[in-house]
Amino acid sequence: MEKIFSAAKKWLTRLAMAYMLGFANAINQETKTIDDTFFKTEEVQKDKMD
């Protein structure tokens, strides 16, 4: 019976860690897309006024 609880605890720990890593990755991707919009500016050539 103790082996079952030990195995279940290991499995739940791994599941929780995988969930947290996935959630952190999703947040990281979201902040990257938000930050990218601030740096995407159009480069405009100035007309020469001769």
Side-chain angles (χ1 to χ4, degrees):
M1 192 73 169
E2 191 173 322
K3 284 185 178 182
I4 295 172
F5 286 128
S6 177
K9 185 178 176 183
K10 277 185 188 178
W11 186 81
L12 286 173
T13 303
R14 290 177 185 159
L15 182 67
M17 285 169 38
Y19 176 78
M20 286 187 279
L21 285 172
F23 193 68
N25 190 29
I27 291 173
N28 192 20
Q29 286 296 108
E30 187 176 318
T31 57
K32 279 184 183 176
T33 56
I34 291 170
D35 290 343
D36 283 349
T37 58
F38 292 123
F39 296 109
K40 289 182 181 174
T41 56
E42 288 186 27
E43 188 174 322
V44 179
Q45 287 184 333
K46 294 183 180 178
D47 293 334
K48 290 183 180 178
M49 297 200 148
D50 289 326

